[in-house]
């Protein structure tokens, strides 16, 4: 895959982070995603899980800003995302997984409503809240369940998340 094609794919991933569609990624995109997830799973912001989610969202934002916010304005533009985060992490997607881990761990704790793992249906709900199209959300959630048992592990989620956002594939 050539550099221009890679940059186009990464630019499309930028849109997923820009939850409010204002043209840049900022702290509000992360806290807004956290609030939407809490609402979807009927979890209060003040409970332990809610606090963990907001803390995870803040940590994720700080990690993203630390890698990509070149001008220090507390916003990551599309160009900063492409040239900063994507290029720095292209061959080290596990580093991105570590930046995302606190947030994803908290999401998993909220989505695992019965305490025995995240179901594909719960994963689909999470993806829809994060603005993934419903048909694609169902397809992705099913694809994450590698062994077909209806449950998705944290490591499967982290690996898939990191690979999607910082590597050329999947499209």
């Amino acid at each position: 895959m050539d550099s221009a094609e890679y940059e186009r794919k990464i630019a499309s991933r930028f849109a997923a982070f820009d939850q409010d569609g204002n043209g840049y990624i900022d702290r509000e995109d992360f806290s807004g995603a956290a609030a939407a997830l809490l609402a979807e799973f009927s979890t209060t912001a003040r409970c332990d899980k809610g606090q963990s989610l907001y803390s995870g969202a803040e940590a994720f934002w700080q990690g993203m800003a630390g890698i990509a916010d070149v001008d220090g304005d507390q916003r990551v533009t599309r160009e900063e995302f492409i040239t900063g985060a994507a290029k720095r992490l292209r061959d080290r997607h596990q580093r991105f997984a570590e930046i995302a881990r606190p947030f994803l761990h908290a999401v998993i704790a909220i989505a695992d409503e019965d305490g025995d793992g995240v179901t594909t249906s719960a994963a689909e709900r999470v993806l829809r809240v994060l603005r993934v199209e419903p048909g694609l959300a169902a397809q992705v959630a099913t694809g994450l369940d590698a062994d077909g048992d209806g449950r998705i592990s944290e490591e499967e989620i982290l690996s898939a998340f990191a690979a999607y956002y910082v590597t050329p594939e999947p499209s």
Side-chain angles (χ1 to χ4, degrees):
M1 171 178 301
D2 67 23
S3 180
E5 185 177 355
Y6 174 74
E7 287 185 15
R8 278 192 303 278
K9 285 187 176 204
I10 295 301
S12 72
R13 279 119 168 121
F14 169 85
F17 278 114
D18 182 13
Q19 290 283 298
D20 58 14
N22 64 1
Y24 53 85
I25 303 166
D26 61 8
R27 176 176 279 110
E28 287 73 31
D29 290 310
F30 288 84
S31 62
L37 287 163
L38 291 174
E40 175 68 22
F41 288 93
S42 301
T43 305
T44 64
R46 293 194 180 265
C47 75
D48 288 344
K49 288 181 180 182
Q51 290 297 298
S52 291
L53 184 62
Y54 276 111
S55 294
E58 178 63 20
F60 196 0
W61 160 245
Q62 290 296 326
M64 171 86 67
I67 290 170
D69 184 17
V70 177
D71 61 10
D73 66 355
Q74 294 297 296
R75 301 186 310 182
V76 176
T77 64
R78 182 177 175 271
E79 189 61 32
E80 285 176 320
F81 184 78
I82 292 169
T83 60
K87 287 186 179 178
R88 286 185 187 162
L89 299 172
R90 183 175 186 173
D91 297 321
R92 297 179 303 205
H93 65 271
Q94 284 311 111
R95 182 169 176 220
F96 188 73
E98 291 309 312
I99 292 168
R101 184 181 293 275
F103 177 71
L104 292 175
H105 182 75
V107 170
I108 290 165
I110 289 168
D112 181 6
E113 296 177 293
D114 59 8
D116 64 352
V118 176
T119 63
T120 54
S121 63
E124 182 180 346
R125 288 171 62 196
V126 168
L127 291 166
R128 284 194 324 261
V129 168
L130 297 177
R131 297 184 36 210
V132 175
E133 294 178 32
L136 182 57
Q139 180 183 351
V140 169
T142 300
L144 288 172
D145 181 17
D147 61 7
D149 69 352
R151 306 265 176 215
I152 306 165
S153 75
E154 184 169 338
E155 287 308 312
E156 287 171 319
I157 291 169
L158 280 168
S159 292
F161 183 84
Y164 179 77
Y165 280 102
V166 298
T167 60
E169 298 302 330
S171 54

